[in-house]
Amino acid sequence: MDEYMKEVIKLADLSQNKPLNEIVFEGLRIAIIKGIIPVGERINESVYAEKMNISRTPVREALRRIQEEGLVEYVPHYGVVVKKITIEDAVEIYQIRKALDILATQNAMKIMTEEQFDEMKALLEKTDEADTRGDYKEVIELSRQFNDMIYEFCRMPRLDVIVKKLRQYLMRFRDISLTENDRRRKALDEHWLLYQNMRQKNYEQVAIITSEHLDYSEKFILKEMRRIEEEADDQAREKDRSNGRKK
């Protein structure tokens, strides 16, 4: 526990100019989503409060809110434990994302100015340059900025908040598809195609491109989640065999 508790404390930075309850909630939530607090781990509010040097109340309130999101569950006679994000969870998240991203993109293209379209084009050109250099970390960051730009330009702040929370659920997996050369180039081409159809006010094509773009991302993330699950199963079986030999 001491190994990951330092990261949890860092995420729940008490020096932030926010209410204590919000700091603790956000810190614990991100620590769970990122996998810093392991799946199946019990979160004892007394221990966490002591480690974070705060009272139990903010921790209890944070766990209540996190439980409402389905990230932890209460096990009778044991306590609150971290749940894993399942493949079914990921599929549901992508179904919601498709609907919301189409809404945001179509609303953005309807109200964007020529200057904003020029800004989007410049960002795509910068992303292509980073890809040519082989700077894939920069490509990932600029691709994220492209997605954020659409939500900024659509002027739907409540929708932006909802989608950012959904993205966080898959934080551990979201950059996987951009690390493979073929998929990365295809993703950048899809961004260019989306930009061109947004500028032309082609609503139907924008919906199709957005949906297909997320379909490919979903495919790669589900593949990685299945690989991780298989590795965990193999390790569990090997542990069982090892225990059997010892007996």
Side-chain angles (χ1 to χ4, degrees):
M1 178 183 180
D2 288 337
E3 296 175 3
Y4 64 76
M5 200 63 208
K6 290 178 183 177
E7 290 297 317
V8 175
I9 292 171
K10 192 183 298 183
L11 286 169
D13 181 6
L14 300 183
S15 67
Q16 297 176 77
N17 188 24
K18 293 180 181 178
L20 179 59
N21 282 2
E22 201 62 29
I23 292 172
V24 176
F25 165 68
E26 290 176 358
L28 288 180
R29 182 177 182 274
I30 294 299
I32 291 167
I33 287 170
K34 280 189 169 184
I36 293 169
I37 305 176
V39 170
E41 188 81 350
R42 181 187 175 204
I43 301 181
N44 185 305
E45 66 180 52
S46 299
V47 173
Y48 272 65
E50 182 181 347
K51 294 280 186 182
M52 298 169 78
N53 197 28
I54 57 176
S55 70
R56 292 170 57 179
T57 303
V59 179
R60 185 184 307 120
E61 173 62 17
L63 290 177
R64 182 191 65 76
R65 292 172 64 184
I66 293 168
Q67 187 173 350
E68 288 176 355
E69 288 192 40
L71 294 171
V72 298
E73 62 182 336
Y74 176 74
V75 178
H77 311 299
Y78 185 68
V80 175
V81 298
V82 177
K83 292 172 65 177
K84 76 172 183 177
I85 295 175
T86 66
I87 287 173
E88 290 75 17
D89 292 333
V91 170
E92 179 189 4
I93 288 166
Y94 268 97
Q95 286 178 330
I96 299 169
R97 278 283 311 278
K98 286 172 195 173
L100 299 187
D101 276 19
I102 289 170
L103 173 62
T105 306
Q106 290 182 335
N107 201 66
M109 71 189 225
K110 183 169 59 178
I111 59 178
M112 282 171 65
T113 64
E114 287 301 307
E115 289 75 14
Q116 287 172 328
F117 277 116
D118 288 342
E119 184 180 343
M120 182 175 281
K121 182 182 179 183
L123 179 63
L124 290 173
E125 290 172 342
K126 188 176 178 182
T127 309
D128 277 349
E129 290 168 5
D131 188 52
T132 302
R133 293 195 309 270
D135 189 347
Y136 303 138
K137 285 186 178 179
E138 181 72 0
V139 171
I140 290 170
E141 174 56 32
L142 293 173
S143 296
R144 188 176 300 129
Q145 288 181 27
F146 177 82
N147 294 325
D148 290 343
M149 185 178 282
I150 289 174
Y151 274 87
E152 177 189 347
F153 290 161
C154 83
R155 298 185 203 164
M156 302 177 78
R158 293 170 187 82
L159 184 62
D160 189 25
V161 170
I162 293 168
V163 170
K164 279 179 179 173
K165 278 202 167 187
L166 288 173
R167 287 179 188 164
Q168 287 174 345
Y169 278 105
L170 301 176
M171 194 178 288
R172 279 176 281 172
F173 310 102
R174 67 185 177 188
D175 297 334
I176 292 165
S177 64
L178 291 178
T179 59
E180 297 192 16
N181 290 334
D182 291 344
R183 173 55 195 150
R184 184 176 59 255
R185 186 61 256 172
K186 182 170 176 55
L188 299 186
D189 289 343
E190 287 165 352
H191 282 178
W192 272 109
L193 198 57
L194 188 59
Y195 152 75
Q196 290 160 1
N197 279 275
M198 287 175 71
R199 197 153 200 168
Q200 294 165 7
K201 303 290 190 288
N202 193 334
Y203 285 82
E204 185 176 345
Q205 277 301 112
V206 160
I208 292 171
I209 296 164
T210 302
S211 182
E212 288 181 350
H213 181 71
L214 287 171
D215 280 341
Y216 281 112
S217 176
E218 178 183 6
K219 173 186 171 184
F220 276 83
I221 283 180
L222 294 183
K223 178 182 174 183
E224 179 66 8
M225 291 179 77
R226 290 188 182 101
R227 183 189 66 77
I228 291 171
E229 284 191 359
E230 288 171 3
E231 284 185 359
D233 290 342
D234 289 343
Q235 289 172 2
R237 283 192 290 269
E238 180 57 33
K239 186 177 180 181
D240 289 342
R241 283 195 293 268
S242 177
N243 290 336
R245 286 194 294 268
K246 289 177 181 179
K247 291 178 182 177

